Structures are given as structure tokens and as C-alpha cells.
Amino acid sequence: MLLSAASGAADAFVFLCVGQVFAAVMTGNLVLLGASAAGAGEEGVALRVVTALVSYGCGVAGAALAGERMWRRVPLMLLAEVVLLGAGAGLWAARLVTSDTDRLGLLVLMGLAMGTQGRVRATPTNYFTGTLTSLLGRLAVGARRGDDGWAAGRLAAVVAGAALAALTVRLWREGGAIVAAALAVAALLVEAAAGPGRAVAGPEKGKPRPDRGNPAGAA
């Protein structure tokens, strides 16, 4: 739930402060890319969208490759995410992001962090269309499951994270990126407190499930 909130916070910050793209929701970025190809949207959005897509993809690929080789990969991957989000938050808070090129660099950091997060757990924490679709579908046919409360909680968490980041941007713009970093730190602390003996969630020991993109099966 902390990671879901971090995803919402990162997306809200990037959308509001970096340039109306997303750090984690690649579906939205693909839609924006198509719209920009047709000449819609603000100037320069296509470059930002491509930057977000490539950086997210590099984060996923790097985490996937490293995750196959690292001992205790989950805390190490969370640590990498914290470092990336912390670097972005520090640069933004220090007012060192002043040009369009600087914003692209900040977007790379955020995209890498969210791509890494996408490989941390089998449960989706940075895209939720499948979660929402499958939850509502089960409720509609009366096929509730014991973990539906957690699915609803993750949906609420992403909204809460986005709201908190947006409020921070409104009240203290320089601190807008701190929210996502702080939530990722909290997730890392929870993971560290659980200890190395805890079983990793999911049928594939933390690897993304094959049905992650399948609204009929994703939880």
C-alpha cells in the first residue's frame, strides 16, 4: 500500500511539475503519445512522453536483470528506488531543475524509479486498471475474495498519495517530490523490518504474475 501511494505521489508530481506526463502509468503516456502524433497537446509533450517510456522501460529491464542475480533482491531494489526518488526530490527542492533539459533529466530519475518499483512485487503497485476491473467484476457477480479489501486499499492508497503530493506542491512547491521518496523509504523500512525469513508474496516468489496485464485475472 505504501508503494501504491508512492506511485500516485510520483505521477501527481511529474504531471503537475515536470510536464503533464506520467512516471508510472504508461498507458496514459501511450495515449498522450498518440494524441501528440496527431498534433494535439502542448508543445514538447511528445519528447517528454518518449523520455518517460524509455526511462520506465530501462528501470523495468534493469530491475528484471538484477533481480535474477541478487540476494534479498526486494530490499535492494527498494533501496535503488529510494535513491532515485531521493535524488529527484533533492534536485527539485534545491531548485536546480530550471530548464526543459533539467526537467527531462528529472523525468528520467522518476521513470527509472517507477520502472524498478514495477518489478519489486508480484502485486501491481504502479498501474491499477486491471485491479479496478477485476475487483468491480467480482463484486458485480457476487464472487468476492478474501483479499478484495487489500485491492480496494491499494486503489485508495494511490489516490491518497496523489492527493498528498498535489497538496504539497500547492503549499510548498519545492517539496513536491519528497512525498513519493518518503513513502518509498517507509516501504523499505517495512521490508527491512520483516526480515529475510519472511516468505515473498505471490506464487512466483515476487516475480510479476503472467496475468498482471489481464483485467480478468489481475488482483
Side-chain angles (χ1 to χ4, degrees):
M1 295 196 39
L2 286 167
L3 290 176
S4 297
S7 172
D11 268 335
F13 165 72
V14 167
F15 189 86
L16 293 172
C17 297
V18 179
Q20 296 190 348
V21 296
F22 300 102
V25 183
M26 293 300 108
T27 303
N29 283 337
L30 290 171
V31 171
L32 291 172
L33 183 62
S36 64
E42 66 177 28
E43 184 179 355
V45 70
L47 177 59
R48 293 193 294 274
V49 168
V50 171
T51 300
L53 289 167
V54 171
S55 59
Y56 182 89
C58 288
V60 170
L65 292 172
E68 297 295 327
R69 296 168 173 80
M70 292 191 306
W71 177 71
R72 292 207 69 200
R73 68 178 190 86
V74 171
L76 290 174
M77 290 165 72
L78 284 174
L79 179 59
E81 178 182 355
V82 166
V83 170
L84 290 165
L85 291 177
L91 291 170
W92 184 258
R95 300 184 179 181
L96 297 177
V97 181
T98 58
S99 66
D100 290 341
T101 301
D102 294 339
R103 283 183 167 80
L104 288 178
L106 177 58
L107 182 57
V108 167
L109 291 175
M110 303 297 287
L112 286 170
M114 290 297 101
T116 301
Q117 177 177 309
R119 292 289 305 186
V120 167
R121 286 290 187 194
T123 303
T125 59
N126 55 4
Y127 52 91
F128 300 91
T129 302
T131 301
L132 180 63
T133 302
S134 56
L135 176 61
L136 293 178
R138 288 195 299 271
L139 293 178
V141 299
R144 293 184 61 183
R145 294 193 331 203
D147 60 351
D148 280 347
W150 288 108
R154 293 199 308 276
L155 293 171
V158 72
V159 174
L164 183 57
L167 181 62
T168 302
V169 168
R170 183 176 180 181
L171 299 177
W172 178 37
R173 188 173 178 85
E174 290 77 13
I178 293 176
V179 176
L183 289 166
V185 168
L188 176 59
L189 292 176
V190 169
E191 179 66 31
R198 189 191 68 176
V200 177
E204 298 182 48
K205 298 183 180 180
K207 296 179 182 179
R209 295 192 308 261
D211 63 357
R212 287 187 67 177
N214 178 5

